[in-house]
Amino acid sequence: VQLQASGGGLVQAGGSLRLSCKVSELTSSPYVMAWFRQVPRKEREFVAAITGSDNSPTYAPSVEGRFTISKDGSKIAVYLQMNDLKPDDTAVYYCTVGSVLSTFREMYTDWGQGTLVTVSS
């Protein structure tokens, strides 16, 4: 399974970015698509996830109300709309696919290469 994330960049605090992730294939059913992020010397942390069956989203408390996860079943893609960005959102963002909904990165086995988001104050 190959995942390709894009859409990162430099943005000022309060700005918006939309991340995209294309997935080559889905190997499990049911499935969950998720975004994690990581800064140097810290663990990769959960950001958001969406279930394949009913498009039910789950968000980390730190992004709830500011980020929106969505997916396109026909293109096997997942998106992350990020609004009201804060400097603490600066990180490399990774997309991933799993078979069960989880906030633990160990539950996901296939990862994209990551896309860097930098939010300036």
Side-chain angles (χ1 to χ4, degrees), residues 25 31 33 42 65:
E25 61 180 315
Y31 67 92
M33 306 176 87
K42 287 193 174 182

Side-chain angles (χ1 to χ4, degrees), residues 75-93:
K75 297 179 181 180
I76 318 181
V78 61
Y79 308 98
L80 188 67
Q81 177 66 43
M82 306 185 295
N83 298 329
D84 189 23
L85 283 160
K86 306 177 185 300
D88 284 349
D89 295 318
T90 295
V92 176
Y93 283 72

Side-chain angles (χ1 to χ4, degrees), residues 57-107:
T58 301
Y59 298 99
S62 59
V63 306
E64 182 100 47
R66 300 188 296 121
F67 291 11
T68 301
I69 188 170
S70 61
K71 69 176 182 66
D72 184 332
S74 62
K75 297 179 181 180
I76 318 181
V78 61
Y79 308 98
L80 188 67
Q81 177 66 43
M82 306 185 295
N83 298 329
D84 189 23
L85 283 160
K86 306 177 185 300
D88 284 349
D89 295 318
T90 295
V92 176
Y93 283 72
Y94 297 89
C95 57
T96 183
V97 179
S99 57
V100 295
L101 176 61
S102 176
T103 61
F104 294 97
R105 63 180 178 88
E106 292 80 6
M107 297 300 292

Side-chain angles (χ1 to χ4, degrees), residues 1-118:
V1 178
Q2 294 182 337
L3 299 93
Q4 184 175 2
S6 61
L10 174 64
V11 64
Q12 289 187 333
S16 298
L17 281 174
R18 185 174 187 252
L19 305 184
S20 300
C21 177
K22 295 182 179 180
V23 183
S24 62
E25 61 180 315
L26 294 170
T27 59
S28 66
S29 178
Y31 67 92
V32 175
M33 306 176 87
W35 289 94
F36 283 69
R37 65 187 182 187
Q38 188 171 20
V39 298
R41 297 177 295 281
K42 287 193 174 182
E43 293 290 322
R44 191 170 297 186
E45 67 172 8
F46 173 79
V47 175
I50 187 167
T51 57
S53 57
D54 60 2
N55 293 327
S56 176
T58 301
Y59 298 99
S62 59
V63 306
E64 182 100 47
R66 300 188 296 121
F67 291 11
T68 301
I69 188 170
S70 61
K71 69 176 182 66
D72 184 332
S74 62
K75 297 179 181 180
I76 318 181
V78 61
Y79 308 98
L80 188 67
Q81 177 66 43
M82 306 185 295
N83 298 329
D84 189 23
L85 283 160
K86 306 177 185 300
D88 284 349
D89 295 318
T90 295
V92 176
Y93 283 72
Y94 297 89
C95 57
T96 183
V97 179
S99 57
V100 295
L101 176 61
S102 176
T103 61
F104 294 97
R105 63 180 178 88
E106 292 80 6
M107 297 300 292
Y108 299 89
T109 56
D110 297 304
W111 295 87
Q113 83 285 3
T115 185
L116 176 62
V117 172
T118 303

